[in-house]
Amino acid sequence: MEKIKKLFTSEAVSIGHPDHVCDMISDSILDECLKQDKNSRVACETMAKDDFIVLAGEISTNADVNVEEIAKNTIKSIGYEYKPRVLNLISKQSPDIAMGVDIGGAGDQGIMFGYANSETPEFMPLAITAAHDLVKTATKLRKSGDFKWAGPDMKSQVTIDYSEKNPRVDTMLMSIQHKEEYNEKEFKEYIKTQIMDKIAKKYNLNTDFKVLINPTGKFVIGGPEGDAGLTGRKIIVDTYGGYAPHGGGAFSGKDPTKVDRSAAYMARYLAKNIVASGIAKECLIQLSYAIGVVQPISIYVDCKGTNVVSDDKIIQTIYDNFDLSPKGIIEKLDLRNPIYSQTCNGGHFGRRYIDDENKIECTWEKLDSVDIFKKI
């Protein structure tokens, strides 16, 4: 009988995927509000289908923002050539919610998770890291013109085999939009040699994996024309690729008073610094909040038995050294800056820079609290 393999799979999508199109529109609106008014309250949702975009949610700001124009410009910047129609259904934040946020409380109830492990230099799981690298590399090559025939809509999937001591790639899958007229053989060879193999080698992995490229045989119609898109429908892609739980709250289109976003960033920051300190090889953190309440109502830490100090000591260290109120998180991670539209391209975690060109750091990825945990 053939040995059963121990396999784990994660997927990623490009900025041209219909759901990430919507994420980017929502976050582009958020960024423009924050550029003009750092205290903007934004909860912006986007739906896209064909050439029609619906904007909904609540925004309270002193900024003068043309949301329809932002939506149209975002579509163009991604690489789609059509000019969408836009329906704006955005209203102001409910005064019932504002009453709790104004005193420094959380903008909603909910549970948020942060995770880190020692599997990659980024302190991220291997499968999701490689999956993101595949679509980021393909997108970069498409924009440079080197990757002929490719369109903006892409998906990747990486299956890692953990059956032996050292992990191996079992399967790589990419579905990439292409022009109607193209050389299929050359297109697929380019993906295998210039994208898949290079990412595998980057992580010192094998290149003799199973390859799946556009399994249906054709992928011409993509983006919102091929499928409806919604803000927040790729929450596992945006986080840890299924390695860790998710509280269910999306990130995009939400200002940092919304703990769905800011507390998830803080939980990742804590987990990463804990693992980087050497006191654990893996760390899962859960935070929970109640609407209008300043401090979290619970902190949970689970190092999966890889820790050399107790979970209780780690939790106490977090209580003693970190302000986990929304205000405290916003100040610690400097979250009132217009950086969010770029989080949609390549996952929210595991990246040192939110903007590679201008070296704008992901503050929640900093390792500036390692010494706090080393002292436990």
Side-chain angles (χ1 to χ4, degrees), residues 303-320:
C303 294
K304 311 294 183 181
T306 67
N307 40 321
V308 296
V309 298
S310 70
D311 292 338
D312 289 347
K313 286 185 177 179
I314 296 172
I315 292 172
Q316 190 60 55
T317 300
I318 293 171
Y319 275 116
D320 291 344

Side-chain angles (χ1 to χ4, degrees), residues 26 29-30 33 40-44 58-60 253-255 258:
S26 293
I29 291 169
L30 168 63
C33 290
S40 296
R41 304 265 178 84
V42 180
C44 180
E58 302 81 41
I59 296 178
S60 296
K254 295 177 181 176
D255 76 86
K258 279 71 173 176

Side-chain angles (χ1 to χ4, degrees), residues 265 338-345 347-348 351-357 359-364:
Y265 287 2
I339 58 170
Y340 296 105
S341 62
Q342 297 176 74
T343 60
C344 308
N345 189 10
H348 292 246
R351 305 157 57 186
R352 181 179 177 185
Y353 297 114
I354 199 73
D355 180 344
D356 292 320
E357 185 176 338
K359 303 301 181 187
I360 299 173
E361 287 189 292
C362 297
T363 55
W364 52 93

Side-chain angles (χ1 to χ4, degrees), residues 141-142 145-151 178-179 182 186-187 190:
L141 292 168
R142 175 185 70 82
D146 193 70
F147 187 10
K148 294 188 293 184
W149 305 299
H178 57 81
K179 294 180 180 179
Y182 80 119
E186 186 178 337
F187 185 75
Y190 185 94

Side-chain angles (χ1 to χ4, degrees), residues 20-39:
H20 267 185
V21 168
C22 294
D23 288 336
M24 190 170 180
I25 291 172
S26 293
D27 272 337
S28 295
I29 291 169
L30 168 63
D31 280 353
E32 187 56 38
C33 290
L34 292 174
K35 282 179 187 177
Q36 300 181 41
D37 177 6
K38 285 184 176 290
N39 294 310

Side-chain angles (χ1 to χ4, degrees), residues 244-313:
H246 196 294
F251 301 157
S252 292
K254 295 177 181 176
D255 76 86
T257 67
K258 279 71 173 176
V259 284
D260 277 338
R261 183 170 221 156
S262 54
Y265 287 2
M266 189 65 183
R268 160 64 180 172
Y269 170 82
L270 292 170
K272 184 178 180 181
N273 276 266
I274 287 166
V275 174
S277 74
I279 64 171
K281 293 182 179 179
E282 183 178 4
C283 183
L284 174 70
I285 292 180
Q286 185 204 58
L287 304 175
S288 71
Y289 290 83
I291 189 167
V293 177
V294 174
Q295 293 294 333
I297 58 175
S298 68
I299 300 174
Y300 172 82
V301 172
D302 182 3
C303 294
K304 311 294 183 181
T306 67
N307 40 321
V308 296
V309 298
S310 70
D311 292 338
D312 289 347
K313 286 185 177 179

Side-chain angles (χ1 to χ4, degrees), residues 72-333:
K72 292 176 182 178
N73 290 338
T74 302
I75 289 289
K76 184 178 179 181
S77 73
I78 290 170
Y80 293 115
E81 297 176 357
Y82 64 91
K83 293 183 178 180
R85 299 168 291 156
V86 181
L87 174 63
N88 179 10
L89 300 177
I90 295 171
S91 60
K92 288 189 175 183
Q93 185 181 61
S94 161
D96 295 342
I97 296 174
M99 184 168 55
V101 179
D102 289 342
I103 62 169
D108 201 354
Q109 73 175 55
I111 55 176
M112 299 84 210
F113 290 91
Y115 178 79
N117 68 21
S118 56
E119 200 169 31
T120 65
E122 297 85 0
F123 297 97
M124 286 286 286
L126 181 56
I128 187 63
T129 303
H132 279 309
D133 264 358
L134 287 172
V135 291
K136 284 191 292 185
T137 300
T139 297
K140 185 177 179 180
L141 292 168
R142 175 185 70 82
K143 288 183 174 180
S144 73
D146 193 70
F147 187 10
K148 294 188 293 184
W149 305 299
D153 194 352
M154 308 176 184
K155 296 180 76 173
S156 69
Q157 195 165 281
V158 175
T159 300
I160 300 295
D161 182 358
Y162 289 101
S163 303
E164 307 297 334
K165 181 180 179 181
N166 295 319
R168 290 174 50 86
V169 182
D170 181 83
T171 306
M172 279 193 182
L173 160 64
M174 293 198 79
S175 294
I176 299 181
Q177 184 185 12
H178 57 81
K179 294 180 180 179
E180 183 76 52
E181 299 297 326
Y182 80 119
N183 185 315
E184 182 180 0
K185 184 174 184 293
E186 186 178 337
F187 185 75
K188 290 186 176 182
E189 283 180 356
Y190 185 94
I191 293 169
K192 174 63 167 72
T193 60
Q194 300 304 309
I195 301 172
M196 289 181 170
D197 286 353
K198 289 191 175 182
I199 296 306
K201 290 174 183 177
K202 177 181 175 180
Y203 293 97
N204 298 314
L205 294 165
N206 56 298
T207 57
D208 60 342
F209 45 81
K210 293 190 284 289
V211 176
L212 291 169
I213 297 172
N214 289 358
T216 64
K218 190 177 180 181
F219 186 9
V220 175
I221 300 172
E225 184 184 3
D227 190 9
L230 290 170
T231 297
R233 200 161 56 178
K234 286 292 176 283
I235 56 177
I236 299 302
V237 169
D238 285 342
T239 52
Y240 308 102
Y243 274 76
H246 196 294
F251 301 157
S252 292
K254 295 177 181 176
D255 76 86
T257 67
K258 279 71 173 176
V259 284
D260 277 338
R261 183 170 221 156
S262 54
Y265 287 2
M266 189 65 183
R268 160 64 180 172
Y269 170 82
L270 292 170
K272 184 178 180 181
N273 276 266
I274 287 166
V275 174
S277 74
I279 64 171
K281 293 182 179 179
E282 183 178 4
C283 183
L284 174 70
I285 292 180
Q286 185 204 58
L287 304 175
S288 71
Y289 290 83
I291 189 167
V293 177
V294 174
Q295 293 294 333
I297 58 175
S298 68
I299 300 174
Y300 172 82
V301 172
D302 182 3
C303 294
K304 311 294 183 181
T306 67
N307 40 321
V308 296
V309 298
S310 70
D311 292 338
D312 289 347
K313 286 185 177 179
I314 296 172
I315 292 172
Q316 190 60 55
T317 300
I318 293 171
Y319 275 116
D320 291 344
N321 291 276
F322 300 93
D323 179 0
L324 298 183
S325 67
K327 182 175 183 291
I329 293 171
I330 290 168
E331 290 178 354
K332 172 67 178 175
L333 301 181

